[in-house]
Amino acid sequence: MELTINGQVYQFNFGMGFMREMNKKVTMPVDGVKYAVAGIMDGDVESLEDLLLVANKGQNPRATTEILDEYIDDSDTDIDQLFEDTMGFLKNANATKKCVQNLEKTIEEEKAKK
C-alpha cells in the first residue's frame, strides 16, 4: 500500500514484521492485530494511524505521527476511502488476511445472536 502525502510517496507493508510489531503494542487478552483491525472496522482514526505507523516501519521515507496527523486532518483527505483502502490491504496481505477473516466471522456470529 502506498499513500501520497504532500507530494511524497510513503510505502506501507502489512507483512510478518507488521504482525509482530502490532502484537507487541497491545497488551490485552486479544491478539494485537485483531484489536487494531476491530478499531478500524469501528472507524477509530487513532487505531488507523497506529496501524499505518507500524506498517510504514522500516520503509523510506518514514511517515511520522505529525505527517499522518496532518494528512488525516486535511479536509481534502477522503477518510472513508483511507479506511477502505487499509482494510483492503489487510484483507489481502498473506500475514493478515486470516486474522481479518476470523474477526469478520466472529462479528457476523455476534450479530446473528442479537
Side-chain angles (χ1 to χ4, degrees):
M1 176 177 165
E2 63 182 38
L3 293 174
T4 302
I5 303 172
N6 296 328
Q8 179 68 56
V9 177
Y10 295 90
Q11 299 291 323
F12 300 85
N13 183 345
F14 299 100
M16 286 304 299
F18 165 81
M19 290 279 292
R20 278 191 283 281
E21 197 63 32
M22 286 306 298
N23 288 336
K24 285 183 208 172
K25 288 179 70 79
V26 179
T27 56
M28 297 184 91
V30 295
D31 182 68
V33 174
K34 288 182 185 176
Y35 179 79
V37 172
I40 291 174
M41 292 171 95
D42 286 341
D44 184 343
V45 179
E46 196 171 358
S47 290
L48 175 66
E49 185 174 283
D50 286 346
L51 191 136
L52 290 172
L53 285 168
V54 172
N56 181 250
K57 188 174 183 177
Q59 303 293 320
N60 191 14
R62 187 81 172 103
T64 63
T65 302
E66 293 76 22
I67 290 169
L68 290 174
D69 282 353
E70 286 180 28
Y71 182 69
I72 290 169
D73 288 340
D74 187 336
S75 61
D76 291 333
T77 298
D78 185 343
I79 194 70
D80 295 324
Q81 189 63 52
L82 182 57
F83 274 101
E84 278 185 42
D85 292 346
T86 303
M87 278 303 299
F89 280 97
L90 289 166
K91 287 179 180 180
N92 291 304
N94 277 341
T96 57
K97 68 181 171 184
K98 193 67 173 170
C99 169
V100 174
Q101 289 170 353
N102 290 339
L103 183 58
E104 287 178 329
K105 181 180 174 187
T106 301
I107 290 169
E108 287 303 315
E109 289 170 354
E110 288 300 315
K111 284 181 181 177
K113 289 179 184 177
K114 293 181 179 180

